Amino acid sequence: EAKVVAVGSSEKYVVVKQNPIGNRGVTNYFYLDRAKDQKYADAKESVSGPFSESEFEKKRTELNLPKFSKEFK
């Protein structure tokens, strides 16, 4: 299990930052491509990740992913 700690979105993408429950030392990053998301879509087709922070930053630059706009405690 994991806890979502931050999210952000744009017209094209939703980004998510999460920590496995009980292990705040690990952070995983994901993004969802809204163009590929549908009611009955397989998450494997629209969600990419998990990425490390450095991998995610490369993707953010390549795809112009949005910043995290909401953080959760």
Side-chain angles (χ1 to χ4, degrees), residues 4-71:
V4 172
V5 295
V7 296
S9 66
S10 67
E11 289 183 23
K12 291 185 175 186
Y13 300 103
V14 175
V15 292
V16 178
K17 180 178 176 180
Q18 58 140 268
N19 297 118
I21 291 179
N23 191 353
R24 294 192 61 105
V26 173
T27 303
N28 297 311
Y29 298 83
F30 299 83
Y31 70 88
L32 178 139
D33 184 336
R34 289 180 183 249
K36 296 179 181 177
D37 189 36
Q38 300 173 19
K39 186 173 183 176
Y40 298 107
D42 183 343
K44 293 175 188 171
E45 295 176 15
S46 58
V47 177
S48 297
F51 297 103
S52 67
E53 185 175 10
S54 62
E55 292 169 328
F56 184 77
E57 287 304 322
K58 287 179 188 174
K59 290 289 185 187
R60 182 190 302 273
T61 301
E62 290 172 18
L63 301 172
N64 195 29
L65 296 175
K67 293 183 179 186
F68 294 104
S69 57
K70 177 116 178 139
E71 293 193 19

